[in-house]
Each structure stands twice: as C-alpha cells, then as structure tokens.
Amino acid sequence: MSLISVENLSLDIYGTPILRDVSFDIAQGKVFGLVGESGSGKSMTSLALMKLLPDGARRSGRAVIDGRDLFALDEAAMCAIRGNQIGMIFQEPMTALNPVQTIGDQVAETLVVHGVAKRAEALAIAREKLDRVGLDGARFPLDRYPHELSGGQRQRVCIAMAVALRPRLLIADEPTTALDVTTQAQILDLLRGLVEEEGMSLLMITHDLAVVSGLADHVAVMQEGRIVEQGPTEELFRTRAHDYTQRLFAASAHRPAREPTVTDEILLTVEDARRSYALPRRSLFGTAPKLEAVRGVSFTLRKGESLGLVGESGCGKSTLTRAILGLEDLQGGSIRLFDREPVKPGMANALRAGLQVVFQDPYGSFNPRWKVSRLVAEPFHLMPHPPADARDRVNDALVEVGLRPDDADKYIHEFSGGQRQRIAIARALINRPDLIVLDEAVSALDVRVRAQILDLLARLQETHGLGYLFISHDLHVVRAITDRVMVMKAGEIVETGETEAVFANPQHPYTRQLIAATPTIPAQWQMQEHA
Amino acid sequence: MLRFALQRLTSLTISLIVASMVIFFVIEVIPGDPAAYMLGMNAQPETVAALRRDLGLDQGLFVRYLAWVGGMVTGDFGTSYTYRVPVSELIMARLGVSLPLTVYALVLSTLIAFPVGLIAAARRGSALDAGIMGGTQLGIALPNFWFAMLLVLFFSITLQWFSAGGFPGWDAGFWINIQALTLPAVALALPQASILARVMRSAVIETLGQDYIRTARAKGLTSRQTVVRHALRNALIPVLTIIGLQFSFLLAGGIIIENVFFLPGLGRLIFQAITQRDLIVVESVVMILVFAVILVTFLVDLTYAAADPRLRRRA
Amino acid sequence: MKRLPMTLVAGALLTAVFAVAALVSLAWTPHAVEGMNIATRLQPPGADHWFGTDHFGRDILSMIMVGARTSIAVAVIAVGMGMVLGVPLGLLAAANRGGLIDEVIMRGNDLVFAFPALVIAILITAVFGPSAVNAIIAIGIFNTPVFARVTRGGALSLWTLDYIRAARVAGKGAGRISIEHILPNIANLLIVQGTIQFSLGILAEAALSYVGLGAQPPTPSWGRMLAEAQTMIAMAPHLAIIPGLAIVLTVLGLNLMGDGLRDILDPKLRRAR
C-alpha cells in the first residue's frame, strides 16, 4: 500500500528549471532510494515534499499522503506535519545541530513543539530515543552539546530528533556521505532497523549506487531533474534498461586498464615517521596531553608504482601527507626521495621539484585571479630559471590532460569540477616530477567524471613512469588504481600488501572491518554486460 | 568556565600593565622633564625644582613607574598640580557623570537596536526593511556632538522641554539627573544604535541561513519559533562583540558631548587639564578610561562564554 | 555589462561633490576665507553668500569647501597610515598563524583597541600640543589594528585553501605567497574596509577639531566651525546646521559607496537573484 504518491512534481527556481514531472510512490514500511549525480534534483525533490524550498521556487504537481495533497496545505498545517508525519535528516551532521543547545533539548523540542509532551516528560522520551539510536545515557547525557560529539554521533542525534514522534515517512538526504565507512555502515544499520521496527517508510537520497543496493526496496534514478527509470531494486540493477543507468553503473564499477611497469628503484622512503600535537590542557597545571597523529610509519614506494593509503578521518593520513609533501616537520624518523636529502620544510627547490600533488577540492585548488597559464606554470618556481619554452610546456601539459592549448588564457571559474581536476594534474605534471601525491584527488567528483580522471591518471603513469601515492577513504577507488595498499589506523600502518591480495584476503581485523563496512553492489547483479 | 575566566583575567592584567607602561612612557618620558613642561617656559628654576621634588622626578624611571602604579592600586592617583586636590577625588566626582551617561546611552542603544534589527531581519526585502536600513545609514553618518546640538536647538531652545545643559548633581535627586542626561544619552545612543541594528539584522539573517535552522524547520517549528528558539541566541554572539566595542565609543563620545551640554564629567576635566598642562590629571584620567575599556572587554568575553558552550570547555 | 548598484552610484556622486569642492578650493573659493569682514557678519543664507556668513563675516560656503580639504586630507592620510602599518602586520600574523609572532601582533592589536582614537589624541596633544598632524597620527594609530585584523581574518581563511598548499609545494615561501596569492584575493576586503575607515576618519577628525584637539586656526575645519557655532546656535542656527550637514552627507556618501562596493566585489554577499 502506498504511503505517499508524488505526481508530476515540477519545480523552477527563479525561472531555472530544476525538476520536471517527477512521479513516484513510496510504499508503507518500505525503503525508496532516489539516486543521481550532483545537480540531478534529488535533494530538491525532498525539500519540495517538506515544503522547505528556497526563495523563488515555483512548484506544480501533487504529493498525496492519506488522501491529502501536501502541496495544497497552508504553512500552519505543514508545520503540524513536519517532524510529526514526516521526519527528515540531512547530509552534514556537523552543522545540522544548534551549537548552543544541548542534545537533550533539541530532541525534546520535536515533542514539545507538536504539543505531545511538556518539557520534563519530553526529556524523558528524548532519553529513550537517544538510547534507541545508540547513544547511551552514561556516555551521552542529555546535557551534552553538539560540539562534544563526533560526526556519526551527531547524525544519530539528528535521527533521534527526526523519529522522536514515530513519523510515517523519514526522508534521509545523503545521510552518510559526510561520514567514514564504518560509521556509515552503523548509521545504515540503524536506519534499516528503524524501518523494520517502527514500520515507517524511508526515502533514501544518495549518489552512491552501492548504498541503495543494500538498503532500498525500490529505486528511482534521476538525471537533470527527471526520473529516467524506476523499479524494484534488484530488477532495476540487473536490467539497467535506461542508457543513463547503464552509464552510471559502468562508471561506478569502472577500473582503468592498467599495465603498470613497476621498477625496482626505490623512489620514496619513509622511515619511522613520527609526529604528535599538543592538545589543550585539561587542568590548569597539568601537562598538556598529546595527540600522536603519526606513530612510527615506515614504507617505501618504487618508481612507477602506485601505492594506496587508506584510513578513516583522524587516522593520521593527512598529517603524514603534509610531511611527505615537505609542508610539515616530523618529530622523528625521516622521509627521503631516492637517496637525497630528507624531505622537510625549507628543503632545496631542486629536491622539491621531484614531488607534486593533486588535492581533493577542485574549487579551492586554484587562485581565482590567475589565468590557467600562470596556474599551471607555478611549479616552474622550483627551477633556477623559468624555462624558455614555458608556454609551450604549459600547452603540452594541457593537451596531455585532455584540454586545449587555448584554455591557458581562461580563468579557473570557466571550468567544471572535472576539468579543474585535469588542470590540477597538468600543474602537477609540468615539472616532470617523479612522485605525485594524489590526496583524495577524485573524491569530490561524480562517478562518471571520476572514471575519466582515473583513466587519465592510469595513462599518465605509464607514459611518464610516475610514482603515485594515492590517498583515499574510498576502497573501491584504491582497489582500481593501486598496485599495493597500506591501511592506516590511529597513526600506524596496520596492514600492507599487494592490493588484490589485501582485498581478497585481509589479515588485520581492522582491514576486514573496513572491507565489510564498504557497501557493494552484489556481484551477481552485475554479471551481464560488464562495461 | 572557571579556567576560561582565569585565563581572561590573566590577559586583562597583562593588558593593564602594558597599557599603563605606554601611558607612563608618553606622559612622563617623552616630554623630557615633565615638571618644566607643566610649568611652562617662564617658570623660575626654584619652582621647577620644587615641583620635581613633589613629583618624585629625582628618582629613577622604574621606581617612579612602580610608585605610580602602586599608588593607583591603593586608590592614590597623586595630587593635581592645578587644583591642589587629590586626583582621585576629582576623578570620582567626574565619573559620577561620565559613567552613568555611558551606561544610559549603552542601554538606550541596545533597547533601540534589538527590536529594530530583528524586525528588519524578519521582514528582509520588504519596504519596512528598506526604510530601516536607510534610516540606520543616516544614523551612522551623524556626528553625535552635532546631533546633540540639533537636539538642544529643537528640544531646549525651540520647545523648551529640556534644559540646555548642566547637571544638578546626584544629591539633587535621581530623576532630575536622569532628565539632565537624557538628551546627551539620546545623542550618543542613536548613531550607535544604527550600527548595532545593522549588525543585529545581518547576524540574524546569517544565522537563519545555517543548517540547524533547516533542521528546526524540519522538526515542525514555525518560522517564528525558529527565530525565537534557535536564531536569536546564536545571532547574539556577534552582536555581543559589537556591544563591547560600543562601550569605548560611547565613553569617548560622552567626553566630547559633555561640551555641548556643559556636563561636569571626565571630558571637561581632561580638556582643562590639557590646556593647563596638568599631566598628572591627564595621565590618571587616560588610565581610568583605558581601564574601563579593558574591563568591559573582559566582561564581554565572559558573557561570550556563557552564550557559547563551545568556548567554555576548551581553550 | 552588469548594472551597478544604486547605492554605489548615489554614494560615489555624493562623495564626488565634496571631493570636487575640496579640489576647487585649492584654486578658487567664492570669497576669501581669511580675514574678517564685520560688515557682513552673521548673515543668513542669501544670494551673495549662499550659506550665509559667520561671526567674523566669513563666507560659510568657502569655509565648507576648504574644510572639505582638511577633512579629506586628514582621513585619507590616516587611512593610508592604517593600511601601510596594518596590512603587513595582518599578513605577517596570518603567515605565522598560531605562532609567537601572531600572538604578539594580536595582543598588540587588542592593546591599541583599548585606546579609543580620542584617548590617543588626548595623549599626543597633552605632550605635543594640538594640531591637524596629531589628529592624523591619532586616527592612523586607531586604524592600524582595524586593518591588521581584517587582513589577518581574510588571510587566515585563504591559508587553509588548497591553492596555497599547492604554492608551498611549488617551493614558495610565506612572504611570496602573501604577496602573490593572499594580497590580491583580500584586496576587495581592504577596499571596502578602507571606505568604512575613511568615513570614520571624517567623523573622528570633526570630533577632534570640535574639542580643540585637531586642526588649529586659521585652518578651516568642519569640526571647529561647529565648535564656534555652538555659542550662537540660538541666533544663527545655520552656522551649526550647514557644517554638520556637510559631515553627514560626506560620511553618508562614503558609507553608501562602501556598501555598493561590497555588493559588487564580494560574491559571497551578492544576492542570489
């Protein structure tokens, strides 16, 4: 039986078309997955259901729940429905809670504003709800503030808030995208459990096909404001009737064709690297406690090799990366390129020239006031004199990454996220370094663009004999592009090995936990026509 | 919280020490011989020598600094050269005018700015908002002492509702003095209220754009409930900073505005002291003013921590 | 071509009126501003003297024009001083964020903030006597921590961006990065803050001259005109009203211009529509 039916939902914001004829039904007690790339309109669909659209939005169509059309209700009636009939959680748990109010009050508020309970009683119910979402009273009393909680814990508070009144529909808009894989697995389990126990329906919005495959009963695929295909999850995943669905599928399972030529020559040597930070002191006179971010890491990377480094946030990989880039001092151990002087801040330019980097954020990686020609040429600073053929080399680098020479005269805002990542790669290549550090370099990209960038990286590695240190939280990507992989936890490398061997037969319990937590599309669903 | 307060108190003390050094240096070191400077060019050498002894100028710089600071801590600011009375008495009497005026203006400014800023934010984009923003734009451009003159022209000279100036003294009763301070306080408060209202408006608007506001709406709060329960307290945090800063503007503005209303406050004292080259009085009044500003900054920091739990436990 | 915001146009026009008046006054004023003419004293606004005359018979319009020169000169130099001192300090603090130099600069900033411009002027005047130069120095010192703070704040948010890290990987030092990457990207902030401090400087100059700590006779100054008008406010209100309006309109013009500049320069504050 269907709980809510959305019929012909269309939406414009200040005249820009956002949604066109979106129709779907969500069945009672079932999970409905809405997948699509960024900008496909999936979040706007959910905000339209809540009638929380931004200014300038014009909407048409119907959303019927219990015979009532939500879109025909006035604001007061809608307030009575939000939080009561329909609950919602959002992507960014770090900012979704009011920083100056305790978690108890925020959960209790749902009950108070709907007149279900007075504050004291509401707090008692809030306690139960927090217990239900896995925040026990001993460690998470009601008077905790959001800043004292981790991202995953905050998302649990958001869930407790959204389900406090046992709504019939819960909308979850990318609820695990900002979280680590193990936390993601726990939150997904929690959502699955709530759906079963409370009999509520869940509208799960995500860009991640693997996440919906393991959770949703029904799936709809969105592209440019339209639903291009929908149906029961397994059936849709197996048949992939629509061309766009096929391409999404192919891209998310994409593995670039690699024929690595790993040499025996050692390019990077990290020996017993250590780095700790002083934390704020707990008492007035005690010594400051230390956070040991990197605790004795050693490894080598060979010329032409692609080495992965995986770990969750806070494991120390960022600190280690900064040290390898020579941006931060170590407190113990050493980092060397070949057998030259140690890598450290203030090292000679000639030494630095062997090393380049591509960062995660395609939008923050470029000075917006410089033209591409100057951006790409920036590493020439490392040479004693700028080369005479600098402009030609910039053009060559742009062509190599799949852009045109006349792109050099444009500013960065004229490019898309994927193109910017290509420019970042061109910049990293311009000095012909030996090692490129790829710091979550494809994490911010949509799957199809990501597949293209991975192909580009694989090709460049072969033609230039580059060494890659590929840092990522995404196990799929690391598996697709690396020869060996290291798993980092709490400042230490807990497991190292050939990538395929580690994934097929993980030795360390943490590696197993990571692999188990990573959502995957069941292999048998993918059998036919593997692209 | 206690740790935070202690930490702020330490930085307050350091600020006071450095500020007192700067003031001491400017007043007592830069002129070379303060005694000769105070007495002017035609002074007899014996008179200068006597003053030098009175001021303790024959001692070393460091000893003099310590004596000055030590005196202030015990309430002894020295003796005014021109008035021949302890400076502390002079200052206490004048503070009885300047401090109430500053506080009065601060209260007025806050009382005007909060509702005005909030209404503008709630109705942003409306004609009312545009009107308020235009009015505050004008208010910011008003020099307070000129506005004070206009108030005198209109309310005292034309309408004769208020006396044009003077201050009866607190012995004469509470309300009569409040009445005497009303025009000056309004003149001081209006330009500052314009600034504060704009800060309030943009703080509320910015807060309303935060993710947790959307969360609150998704819980079923009406937009009014969202503003009252979630936006206000968060918006207050930047507003507090500005209120703290306004104290020093109002204190300085009060000193200027005393001239318009013939109020016997610190301003009159210090400007007379400057013309009479009474460095002892200048030095002490400046120290008092700076002390007041630093103290208010400290209090604002504490309020800050009370309003924002993120500040309480760390740092 | 994008339409310029109304506030920018109105503000720029208003500011231009006074800037032009100040420039013209260098070569020509309707009447001489020096010397007295008892015959024409305390005339109300009229055909010969558009804005009337003061108690010495001097032409108010001419004095307003020359006074604009004083106000603008004091404010411009004081803003320049604040920028020249404050911006490098802010850049230096941001480049050493969290370090000792940052701490020292920021504590120094707090210390200067504890001295309102008036108090600085009092200190300087008590020792050196009153003058327009002292007013400039007092306002300039007051401006310094403002620019240091704005610069540091803007620079700190940039230092976390990946293009700064990329520049460091390209071997560039903090000084070069501050000049090549940071400064151009906070220029907008500084321009907007500059107009705000400019208008505050006009207000501060007027206040200091009003209490006798700024420009001294015979230099005409709006603040001193108001001080002289005060005793005669009942019989010749135009003496008080006109210089005050000149201050209000100049400051208003600068503030509107600052708002307009922020609208076009700061994309974050640009409206979604």
Side-chain angles (χ1 to χ4, degrees):
Chain A
M1 200 196 98
S2 108
L3 170 73
I4 182 166
S5 351
V6 177
E7 297 162 18
N8 299 321
L9 169 62
S10 292
L11 174 72
D12 292 68
I13 296 181
Y14 289 117
T16 309
I18 305 291
L19 300 175
R20 281 294 169 265
D21 292 323
V22 171
S23 300
F24 57 90
D25 285 8
I26 302 178
Q28 182 85 49
K30 299 289 183 189
V31 180
F32 187 86
L34 195 55
V35 292
E37 293 179 297
S38 50
S40 60
K42 49 195 196 305
S43 289
M44 281 300 165
T45 307
S46 66
L47 291 175
L49 292 185
M50 292 294 269
K51 290 177 83 171
L52 288 175
L53 288 166
D55 290 344
R58 286 171 55 95
R59 179 198 53 220
S60 64
R62 278 154 55 85
V64 181
I65 184 166
D66 288 338
R68 283 202 293 175
D69 178 13
L70 288 179
F71 295 166
L73 296 179
D74 65 4
E75 175 61 19
M78 209 51 220
C79 282
I81 287 182
R82 290 188 205 116
N84 190 1
Q85 301 277 324
I86 308 177
M88 183 161 182
I89 56 173
F90 300 93
Q91 174 170 355
E92 200 31 87
M94 300 310 276
T95 52
L97 294 170
N98 183 345
V100 304
Q101 215 176 45
T102 62
I103 57 170
D105 277 333
Q106 295 193 53
V107 177
E109 190 176 42
T110 308
L111 301 146
V112 174
V113 294
H114 287 284
V116 176
K118 294 270 174 241
R119 184 162 180 268
E121 195 193 337
L123 282 173
I125 300 175
R127 180 67 270 157
E128 285 169 27
K129 296 295 172 186
L130 287 171
D131 286 337
R132 173 61 192 92
V133 298
L135 300 174
D136 60 275
R139 285 169 60 218
F140 303 98
L142 293 176
D143 61 358
R144 282 289 174 104
Y145 284 97
H147 72 272
E148 299 167 298
L149 272 52
S150 71
Q153 291 159 355
R154 291 186 207 194
Q155 196 60 294
R156 288 172 191 269
V157 175
C158 291
I159 294 173
M161 247 160 45
V163 303
L165 282 170
R166 313 186 60 192
R168 306 177 56 195
L169 172 66
L170 176 65
I171 301 175
D173 184 0
E174 301 268 9
T176 58
T177 306
L179 304 174
D180 283 323
V181 276
T182 48
T183 319
Q184 162 168 286
Q186 293 162 5
I187 296 287
L188 292 176
D189 276 346
L190 173 62
L191 289 173
R192 205 177 282 125
L194 284 167
V195 168
E196 276 168 25
E197 276 171 42
E198 314 263 338
M200 68 180 184
S201 308
L202 173 66
L203 171 57
M204 178 76 187
I205 292 165
T206 178
H207 67 281
D208 191 332
L209 291 170
V211 166
V212 273
S213 76
L215 188 67
D217 303 297
H218 263 73
V219 175
V221 180
M222 278 194 94
Q223 182 197 15
E224 289 168 10
R226 291 169 198 275
I227 291 184
V228 296
E229 185 175 7
Q230 58 180 317
T233 308
E234 184 173 347
E235 192 186 310
L236 184 137
F237 274 46
R238 278 185 187 274
T239 51
R240 284 164 254 155
H242 195 276
D243 173 54
Y244 178 73
T245 315
Q246 252 174 41
R247 279 186 284 146
L248 264 190
F249 237 82
S252 64
H254 183 73
R255 303 182 68 165
R258 296 180 67 232
E259 284 169 36
T261 43
V262 182
T263 63
D264 285 337
E265 193 181 358
I266 294 199
L267 170 54
L268 177 74
T269 313
V270 175
E271 248 177 22
D272 196 31
R274 287 173 189 279
R275 170 84 214 195
S276 59
Y277 298 99
L279 292 172
R281 273 182 279 180
R282 302 216 179 269
S283 71
L284 206 48
F285 301 105
T287 50
K290 274 184 180 173
L291 171 74
E292 291 187 75
V294 178
R295 307 195 292 179
V297 168
S298 303
F299 66 88
T300 57
L301 191 161
R302 286 166 296 170
K303 203 164 161 32
E305 183 183 34
S306 179
L307 175 62
L309 174 62
V310 297
E312 297 185 291
S313 53
C315 73
K317 62 186 195 298
S318 305
T319 306
L320 183 61
T321 309
R322 283 198 297 274
I324 291 171
L325 291 173
L327 300 180
E328 192 164 318
D329 267 320
L330 287 176
Q331 287 157 334
S334 68
I335 298 168
R336 283 170 198 276
L337 271 181
F338 297 111
D339 49 359
R340 300 179 204 151
E341 292 295 296
V343 168
K344 60 167 187 269
M347 63 182 168
N349 280 347
L351 189 58
R352 232 181 229 294
L355 187 66
Q356 272 302 318
V357 63
V358 177
F359 292 111
Q360 170 174 6
D361 177 13
Y363 294 89
S365 286
F366 305 96
N367 185 339
R369 298 186 173 270
W370 285 11
K371 284 186 177 165
V372 168
S373 54
R374 191 173 175 198
L375 290 169
V376 171
E378 187 166 38
F380 284 149
H381 179 71
L382 292 167
M383 306 195 148
H385 307 287
D389 58 345
R391 184 55 196 250
D392 292 340
R393 281 176 62 179
V394 168
N395 291 350
D396 292 349
L398 287 174
V399 171
E400 244 191 316
V401 298
L403 296 169
R404 294 198 316 266
D406 56 2
D407 287 331
D409 292 320
K410 295 182 186 163
Y411 288 96
I412 197 68
H413 68 257
E414 299 173 56
F415 297 92
S416 69
Q419 289 172 321
R420 288 178 197 213
Q421 247 10 22
R422 289 176 189 270
I423 295 171
I425 293 168
R427 173 171 65 189
L429 279 178
I430 193 89
N431 256 354
R432 292 158 198 165
D434 307 295
L435 173 66
I436 297 184
V437 175
L438 299 153
D439 186 358
E440 302 275 5
V442 296
S443 301
L445 304 174
D446 276 324
V447 278
R448 287 182 302 157
V449 179
R450 180 163 78 199
Q452 293 161 7
I453 298 290
L454 287 176
D455 281 341
L456 173 66
L457 287 171
R459 200 185 72 225
L460 291 173
Q461 178 165 44
E462 277 163 38
T463 50
H464 294 267
L466 293 164
Y468 284 164
L469 178 60
F470 200 99
I471 297 146
S472 183
H473 69 282
D474 186 331
L475 298 192
H476 286 308
V477 170
V478 170
R479 190 170 189 175
I481 189 98
T482 62
D483 305 302
R484 280 191 308 135
V485 65
M486 305 182 288
V487 180
M488 192 165 181
K489 187 188 183 219
E492 288 171 332
I493 304 287
V494 295
E495 180 160 0
T496 314
E498 301 289 323
T499 303
E500 274 317 309
V502 169
F503 277 90
N505 187 13
Q507 297 302 307
H508 194 275
Y510 178 69
T511 314
R512 280 187 224 134
Q513 196 190 338
L514 269 187
I515 292 172
T518 304
T520 41
I521 301 169
Q524 61 271 26
W525 292 8
Q526 306 182 27
M527 285 315 188
Q528 307 109 317
E529 48 182 332
H530 196 284
Chain B
M1 185 73 196
L2 183 68
R3 231 172 75 76
F4 180 81
L6 279 176
Q7 204 179 46
R8 295 282 97 195
L9 200 61
T10 317
S11 86
L12 166 117
T13 317
I14 295 173
S15 302
L16 281 178
I17 292 172
V18 180
S20 67
M21 285 177 172
V22 171
I23 294 168
F24 180 82
F25 181 79
V26 173
I27 298 284
E28 299 211 16
V29 180
I30 291 182
D33 184 349
Y37 179 81
M38 283 166 72
L39 292 171
M41 290 206 282
N42 305 324
Q44 302 292 323
E46 303 88 74
T47 338
V48 176
L51 183 62
R52 284 181 61 89
R53 252 194 322 282
D54 276 1
L55 297 176
L57 294 187
D58 34 9
Q59 284 157 315
L61 265 185
F62 191 62
V63 176
R64 269 162 57 204
Y65 170 73
L66 284 186
W68 177 59
V69 171
M72 282 193 298
V73 171
T74 56
D76 174 12
F77 286 75
T79 307
S80 159
Y81 172 68
T82 39
Y83 294 88
R84 299 285 171 194
V85 290
V87 175
S88 54
E89 275 178 31
L90 286 172
I91 290 180
M92 282 315 287
R94 305 308 182 98
L95 266 182
V97 179
S98 292
L99 212 52
L101 175 59
T102 308
V103 173
Y104 190 0
L106 194 63
V107 170
L108 270 184
S109 160
T110 312
L111 286 183
I112 297 169
F114 269 52
V116 170
L118 198 58
I119 290 168
R123 299 275 164 82
R124 68 179 178 282
S126 70
L128 182 65
D129 180 28
I132 289 174
M133 291 309 280
T136 53
Q137 192 69 266
L138 199 64
I140 292 174
L142 278 182
N144 50 29
F145 62 95
W146 180 64
F147 184 47
M149 288 163 73
L150 293 187
L151 290 179
V152 169
L153 186 62
F154 190 67
F155 288 103
S156 306
I157 297 172
T158 312
L159 295 176
Q160 307 210 322
W161 286 0
F162 289 87
S163 63
F167 186 75
W170 292 106
D171 300 336
F174 181 72
W175 288 111
I176 189 168
N177 287 298
I178 290 295
Q179 204 189 359
L181 291 181
T182 295
L183 281 190
V186 168
L188 277 176
L190 221 60
Q192 295 299 319
S194 301
I195 297 175
L196 197 57
R198 290 175 81 94
V199 173
M200 181 81 189
R201 174 182 179 274
S202 58
V204 171
I205 289 176
E206 168 153 3
T207 312
L208 285 176
Q210 299 292 316
D211 282 357
Y212 54 80
I213 296 297
R214 194 176 57 182
T215 309
R217 298 280 283 137
K219 278 198 276 189
L221 274 73
T222 63
S223 58
R224 181 184 294 262
Q225 282 172 321
T226 315
V227 171
V228 174
R229 287 165 176 258
H230 294 278
L232 263 188
R233 186 156 161 210
N234 280 288
L236 216 56
I237 293 169
V239 171
L240 267 176
T241 318
I242 305 299
I243 293 181
L245 283 178
Q246 293 212 323
F247 180 84
S248 83
F249 279 110
L250 290 170
L251 195 61
I255 282 171
I256 290 169
I257 250 176
E258 284 168 17
N259 275 310
V260 182
F261 295 94
F262 310 105
L263 295 175
L266 285 176
R268 296 275 294 289
L269 179 65
I270 201 167
F271 293 127
Q272 274 161 6
I274 289 174
T275 30
Q276 289 156 348
R277 299 189 171 193
D278 192 341
L279 291 185
I280 310 295
V281 171
V282 173
E283 191 178 44
S284 307
V285 175
V286 167
M287 191 63 222
I288 289 287
L289 293 175
V290 170
F291 173 73
V293 174
I294 293 178
L295 185 68
V296 167
T297 312
F298 168 72
L299 294 177
V300 167
D301 279 350
L302 289 194
T303 333
Y304 229 93
D308 189 346
R310 285 165 294 187
L311 286 174
R312 267 176 244 161
R313 296 198 196 182
R314 72 179 156 83
Chain C
M1 185 64 197
K2 199 171 45 197
R3 263 186 63 214
L4 291 173
M6 270 303 293
T7 48
L8 182 62
V9 176
L13 280 177
L14 217 47
T15 312
V17 168
F18 287 93
V20 168
L23 282 177
V24 170
S25 80
L26 288 170
W28 174 84
T29 51
H31 296 266
V33 292
E34 278 115 33
M36 308 179 195
N37 186 355
I38 303 299
T40 62
R41 66 195 293 261
L42 288 181
Q43 284 184 3
D48 190 26
H49 298 281
W50 288 3
F51 291 168
T53 59
D54 72 355
H55 56 297
F56 290 131
R58 293 175 295 188
D59 178 50
I60 299 288
L61 174 61
S62 308
M63 289 178 72
I64 292 286
M65 288 171 68
V66 183
R69 206 160 78 198
T70 314
S71 280
I72 292 173
V74 168
V76 164
I77 300 173
V79 168
M81 181 174 155
M83 276 194 176
V84 166
L85 295 174
V87 172
L89 282 174
L91 288 175
L92 188 64
N96 293 283
R97 63 212 166 280
L100 185 66
I101 295 177
D102 182 26
E103 190 66 20
V104 169
I105 291 175
M106 290 321 287
R107 291 289 81 78
N109 254 352
D110 291 348
L111 187 74
V112 181
F113 267 125
F115 288 79
L118 175 75
V119 172
I120 302 174
I122 287 173
L123 273 178
I124 297 175
T125 311
V127 178
F128 296 106
S131 74
V133 173
N134 290 350
I136 291 175
I137 294 173
I139 302 169
I141 292 176
F142 173 78
N143 279 340
T144 304
V146 175
F147 282 107
R149 193 166 283 201
V150 168
T151 304
R152 177 177 178 272
L156 278 186
S157 61
L158 292 181
W159 271 103
T160 63
L161 292 180
D162 281 342
Y163 69 81
I164 303 294
R165 284 205 277 162
R168 292 176 66 198
V169 172
K172 292 184 174 170
R176 182 180 276 274
I177 288 174
S178 292
I179 289 165
E180 283 188 4
H181 288 291
I182 308 270
L183 200 54
N185 283 296
I186 59 167
N188 292 347
L189 273 181
L190 295 178
I191 291 170
V192 170
Q193 193 65 42
T195 53
I196 295 171
Q197 294 311 116
F198 189 14
S199 76
L200 286 178
I202 301 249
L203 282 174
E205 189 275 333
L208 291 177
S209 297
Y210 170 73
V211 292
L213 299 182
Q216 295 300 303
T219 313
S221 139
W222 295 343
R224 253 214 3 279
M225 290 169 75
L226 286 172
E228 288 166 6
Q230 193 177 324
T231 48
M232 289 168 284
I233 191 159
M235 52 178 172
H238 70 276
L239 290 189
I241 290 171
I242 288 163
L245 278 179
I247 299 172
V248 170
L249 291 177
T250 314
V251 173
L252 189 64
L254 285 167
N255 285 344
L256 289 176
M257 201 162 86
D259 276 12
L261 279 175
R262 181 165 39 203
D263 282 352
I264 58 168
L265 291 179
D266 190 343
K268 265 182 306 207
L269 297 170
R270 211 177 287 161
R271 272 184 218 132
R273 285 160 236 203

